[in-house]
Amino acid sequence: MRPFKTETAPMLRLAAANIDTDQLIPARFMKEPRKPDGYGRFLLHDLIAEGLLPAPLPGQTVVVARRNFGGGSSREAAVYALADFGFRVVIAPSFGDIFAANCVKNGVVPAEVSEADAEALLEAAALTVTVDLEARRITAGNLAVDFSIDPVWRTQLLKGFDDIDMTLAEAPAIEAFTAKDALARGWAAPRR
């Protein structure tokens, strides 16, 4: 996974709450193979076709929405659609739990802001936004808001680590514990 430090890009403003995973990518499109084109071409398909939301534009890599973004089913394809289109950050007051975890596993930052800050970003005059993961700060013109993210997820995204990389980073501590534990509780070690 590619490490994430900062992202400055035009934002896609989705002034809607409860955009669920089926709206992010309708199930009928998941019959298509993801590669080589990816699922980005199906992102928000029905909501765009019905004129309910604007279509994302090339170069937009940050989404700003209202609460409960990515709720609904646990389909990881919803995050694939975002990532395949090129989105690196989703900003909202709340997320579906599984959706947020899937974001991190696919290199997309789920930046949680207050409802007031989400509204301010949706109404900001600035077309571009900067998301700084180290500082946990979002800037759009003169507007600056802080966001929250699970500290383990933040580390994973900053370093570009998956779950295995996170475990391997702790290898020296694991080895030290194992050696110390073998001395203290030799009877508990498996026999070879």
Side-chain angles (χ1 to χ4, degrees), residues 21-157:
T21 54
D22 191 51
Q23 292 168 318
L24 288 168
I25 182 167
R28 67 185 181 279
F29 294 120
M30 295 187 318
K31 296 175 190 170
E32 300 283 329
R34 181 173 175 218
K35 299 293 181 192
D37 296 336
Y39 284 154
R41 65 191 187 271
F42 305 123
L43 180 64
L44 299 166
H45 182 276
D46 293 350
L47 294 175
I48 293 166
E50 294 169 16
L52 298 173
L53 289 178
L57 300 172
Q60 289 179 318
T61 61
V62 178
V63 176
V64 181
R66 292 188 172 127
R67 65 180 165 73
N68 194 32
F69 191 89
S73 74
S74 60
R75 69 177 67 153
E76 192 169 13
V79 177
Y80 294 163
L82 285 162
D84 290 349
F85 191 89
F87 285 100
R88 304 246 16 238
V89 181
V90 179
I91 303 167
S94 60
F95 298 96
D97 292 340
I98 295 171
F99 172 83
N102 285 337
C103 278
V104 174
K105 291 180 187 335
N106 286 280
V108 176
V109 176
E112 191 171 318
V113 297
S114 70
E115 293 211 24
D117 287 342
E119 290 304 317
L121 286 165
L122 287 166
E123 310 242 345
L127 298 176
T128 33
V129 63
T130 298
V131 178
D132 183 335
L133 182 57
E134 281 189 305
R136 292 182 323 237
R137 180 154 281 239
I138 301 163
T139 337
N142 293 330
L143 176 65
V145 300
D146 293 330
F147 68 91
S148 60
I149 185 168
D150 178 280
V152 173
W153 289 354
R154 180 173 170 262
T155 299
Q156 282 184 278
L157 289 161

Side-chain angles (χ1 to χ4, degrees), residues 167-178:
T167 302
L168 291 175
E170 298 298 324
I174 293 167
E175 289 171 11
F177 171 83
T178 303

